[in-house]
Amino acid sequence: MALQRVDHDLAADAMRALNKIRKDANGNVSPEVLTRLASLPAMLRTSGVLPSLAYYTAKRGTENPLEKAYDVVGTELRARICAVLGWDEAGRPSLDLDFLDRLTQHLRGHPADTALLSARLEQFAVWLSRLAEALEREQEAAAAQEPQDA
């Protein structure tokens, strides 16, 4: 049996999130959304896990493509956290204040988990950032191929 690499799972999860964002945006993801996706690794490194999660919780929604993107990424971040901590969160898809409170309390009692979560979430975020950059280039190339109206 071949061993599965963790980064392959993270890449697949990031691609699934990006595909969901593309579907929600009817196939064309705005530069604003792509920029926000690309900035997630830096946010996690500079702000830390809990402030970044709080930001994504505050920004998620269903009104526009950017809010929907925050919700999709929040869902994946929550799934990564639950996988690392061994929490069963079936049926609870995105970030919310109850989840953040539970995570905060857990990390206060298990400080070593903070470093593990930081590393795992940042790895996911790097994949998402790379894929967002690739999508941006793909969309730019497709736009350049479109006939120009005179």
Side-chain angles (χ1 to χ4, degrees):
M1 180 173 123
L3 293 176
Q4 183 76 17
R5 289 178 39 157
V6 170
D7 61 329
H8 291 180
D9 290 340
L10 293 171
D13 293 341
M15 192 70 241
R16 185 175 40 256
L18 188 60
N19 283 335
K20 172 82 170 95
I21 291 167
R22 287 172 78 178
K23 181 181 174 198
D24 288 346
N26 296 318
N28 192 25
V29 180
S30 74
E32 179 183 27
V33 170
L34 293 171
T35 298
R36 301 296 169 83
L37 296 176
S39 69
L40 181 56
M43 178 187 281
L44 285 165
R45 273 191 299 277
T46 59
S47 296
V49 170
L50 291 172
S52 298
L53 295 174
Y55 181 83
Y56 268 70
T57 301
K59 297 296 184 181
R60 71 183 181 88
T62 59
E63 294 300 314
N64 62 57
L66 184 57
E67 289 180 356
K68 290 177 184 178
Y70 281 122
D71 190 54
V72 168
V73 175
T75 298
E76 286 299 327
L77 293 172
R78 182 176 181 147
R80 298 280 53 79
I81 292 164
C82 292
V84 168
L85 299 179
W87 292 356
D88 180 14
E89 293 286 318
R92 305 187 84 191
S94 193
L95 296 171
D96 58 33
L97 291 177
D98 290 337
F99 180 80
L100 292 181
D101 181 49
R102 182 174 167 211
L103 179 61
T104 300
Q105 296 308 316
H106 174 84
L107 293 178
R108 288 178 71 195
H110 303 89
D113 286 348
T114 302
L116 181 58
L117 282 178
S118 294
R120 194 58 50 87
L121 294 183
E122 191 173 325
Q123 290 169 337
F124 167 79
V126 166
W127 274 109
L128 187 61
S129 177
R130 288 175 182 159
L131 293 169
E133 181 181 354
L135 178 58
E136 181 177 41
R137 290 179 185 263
E138 186 178 284
Q139 288 182 167
E140 288 171 353
Q145 296 287 330
E146 291 178 4
Q148 302 297 317
D149 292 332

